[in-house]
């Protein structure tokens, strides 16, 4: 719950992805269910009233998505068809690798305290997606990325750069990929 000043909605959104990833990492959880879908308006903003991933029916925007709904939906989309394979945890940094039947990989990376880390993702181009679905292309000549791992997990999907047409201007730091422009 994010009620009674216990947690922020953003932290709750991060915790659902972290909890799911850790449950899969342990290898003892086959399915994962969220306890309460709609906020219980009956309890107001108390601890009990702040569960749920949708606003209650009596709020100004009934059944509006809360941040946890967005992070859970994005997690379900990013990890659908992927199985947990292994973790590379170091200190407070968690790096969990998921893989699908085609051998495509997705890494879920976060830190309990917010730290920088260096991760070899084995690809010159990586699609980074935050817990809300915002995407960013990252580039590295050697496949090693310096990542600011925050308390909110992010998804990192190695892409085969040779399948894309792209050009990188070292002076400006601009990389153009199939009509997209992103800074390195």
């Amino acid at each position: 719950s994010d009620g009674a000043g216990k947690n922020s909605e953003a932290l709750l959104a991060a915790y659902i992805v972290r909890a799911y990833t850790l449950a899969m990492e342990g290898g003892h959880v086959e399915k994962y269910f969220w306890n309460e879908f709609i906020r219980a308006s009956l309890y107001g903003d108390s601890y009990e009233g702040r569960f749920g991933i949708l606003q209650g029916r009596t709020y100004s925007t009934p059944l509006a998505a809360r941040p946890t709904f967005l992070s859970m939906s994005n997690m379900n989309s990013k990890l659908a068809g992927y199985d947990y394979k292994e973790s590379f945890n170091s200190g407070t940094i968690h790096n969990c690798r998921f893989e699908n039947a085609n051998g495509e990989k997705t890494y879920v990376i976060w830190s309990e305290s917010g730290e920088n880390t260096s991760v070899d993702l084995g690809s010159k181009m990586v699609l980074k997606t935050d817990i809300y679905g915002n995407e960013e292309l990252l580039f590295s000549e050697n496949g090693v990325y310096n990542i600011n791992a925050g308390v909110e997990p992010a998804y990192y999907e190695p892409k085969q750069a040779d399948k894309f047409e792209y050009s990188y201007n070292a002076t400006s730091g601009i990389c153009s990929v199939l009509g997209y422009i992103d800074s390195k």
Side-chain angles (χ1 to χ4, degrees):
S1 172
D2 65 332
K6 295 285 183 186
N7 298 304
S8 68
E9 286 205 47
L11 193 55
L12 192 62
Y15 279 172
I16 187 61
V17 177
R18 289 167 55 166
Y20 175 84
T21 303
L22 291 172
M24 297 301 111
E25 179 180 322
H28 304 290
V29 175
E30 195 172 307
K31 296 187 188 312
Y32 196 89
F33 297 93
W34 194 247
N35 183 32
E36 205 164 325
F37 191 64
I38 300 172
R39 264 184 77 178
S41 306
L42 174 68
Y43 299 108
D45 283 335
S46 70
Y47 187 77
E48 280 298 316
R50 298 290 293 196
F51 285 106
I53 61 176
L54 295 180
Q55 291 289 18
R57 289 181 175 85
T58 62
Y59 288 85
S60 58
T61 307
L63 305 178
R66 296 178 71 202
T68 303
F69 179 87
L70 300 174
S71 70
M72 182 183 280
S73 296
N74 190 52
M75 175 186 69
N76 289 338
S77 173
K78 297 306 274 183
L79 298 179
Y82 283 76
D83 294 317
Y84 169 81
K85 291 299 181 183
E86 64 183 325
S87 293
F88 312 95
N89 299 331
S90 173
T92 66
I93 298 173
H94 297 267
N95 177 351
C96 302
R97 181 172 63 89
F98 291 80
E99 194 170 315
N100 69 14
N102 297 329
E104 297 170 321
K105 299 173 178 99
T106 295
Y107 297 83
V108 182
I109 301 173
W110 80 89
S111 171
E112 294 171 22
S113 58
E115 296 180 48
N116 290 323
T117 186
S118 185
V119 180
D120 186 351
L121 297 175
S123 178
K124 291 183 177 185
M125 185 167 52
V126 170
L127 178 65
K128 175 189 175 188
T129 308
D130 70 13
I131 62 173
Y132 302 111
N134 299 305
E135 296 179 336
E136 174 184 11
L137 283 171
L138 305 176
F139 301 92
S140 168
E141 286 300 319
N142 61 3
V144 176
Y145 294 83
N146 293 317
I147 294 173
N148 182 11
V151 295
E152 288 185 355
Y155 305 90
Y156 295 85
E157 298 172 76
K159 300 293 183 183
Q160 292 185 3
D162 59 341
K163 290 186 177 181
F164 297 92
E165 291 182 34
Y166 72 96
S167 65
Y168 176 67
N169 182 320
T171 306
S172 68
I174 301 294
C175 186
S176 299
V177 181
L178 293 177
Y180 296 99
I181 296 178
D182 200 354
S183 61
K184 184 172 183 181

